[in-house]
């Protein structure tokens, strides 16, 4: 009986931990302190191809550094129900946290 209770307890714990891990998600948002839309570029320091407003939820899918050693991130995310590949932005204007 003790063995069964221990097995059940371990199963419940594993399920709970699994659910917590499944719900943990890295969330990022545009946080440009100038309060203007953030320029999105075709490559780091490249041509502006889009702009994203503050508080837009985004996914960072790649990171690189330019020739001045500044970090750039590649942003993707949903807009009007469609998944978009937006482009590159300077890292300091994107804030990320675990949800």
């Amino acid at each position: 009986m003790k063995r069964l209770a221990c097995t059940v307890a371990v199963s419940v714990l594993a399920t709970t931990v699994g659910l917590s891990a499944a719900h943990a998600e890295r969330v990022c948002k545009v946080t440009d302190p100038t309060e203007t839309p953030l320029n999105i570029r075709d490559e780091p320091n490249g041509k502006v191809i889009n702009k994203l407003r503050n508080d837009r939820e985004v996914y960072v899918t790649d990171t690189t550094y330019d020739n001045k050693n500044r970090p750039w991130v590649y942003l993707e995310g949903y807009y009007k129900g469609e998944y978009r590949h937006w482009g590159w932005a300077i890292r300091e204007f994107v804030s990320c946290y675990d949800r």
Side-chain angles (χ1 to χ4, degrees):
M1 189 61 144
K2 269 186 163 180
R3 189 175 199 190
L4 178 60
C6 184
T7 302
V8 170
V10 169
S11 295
V12 169
L13 179 61
T15 302
T16 304
V17 170
L19 288 175
S20 296
H23 289 285
E25 177 184 17
R26 189 83 170 152
V27 177
C28 301
K29 289 188 177 188
V30 173
T31 52
D32 187 335
T34 66
E35 295 295 324
T36 61
L38 177 62
N39 287 333
I40 304 299
R41 299 174 182 274
D42 62 348
E43 62 184 14
N45 291 318
K47 182 179 87 173
V48 176
I49 57 172
N50 203 344
K51 294 178 184 276
L52 295 177
R53 295 190 186 279
N54 275 348
D55 293 326
R56 159 86 52 208
E57 196 167 284
V58 295
Y59 297 103
V60 173
T61 59
D62 197 5
T63 303
T64 193
Y65 294 83
D66 64 16
N67 57 1
K68 295 179 183 174
N69 207 33
R70 295 179 300 181
W72 288 77
V73 290
Y74 190 82
L75 302 178
E76 300 179 5
Y78 287 94
Y79 179 70
K80 294 186 177 182
E82 215 175 292
Y83 194 80
R84 311 285 175 116
H85 301 269
W86 283 305
W88 293 94
I90 197 83
R91 173 65 178 92
E92 68 184 274
F93 300 135
V94 178
S95 299
C96 299
Y97 56 93
D98 290 325
R99 182 178 357 212

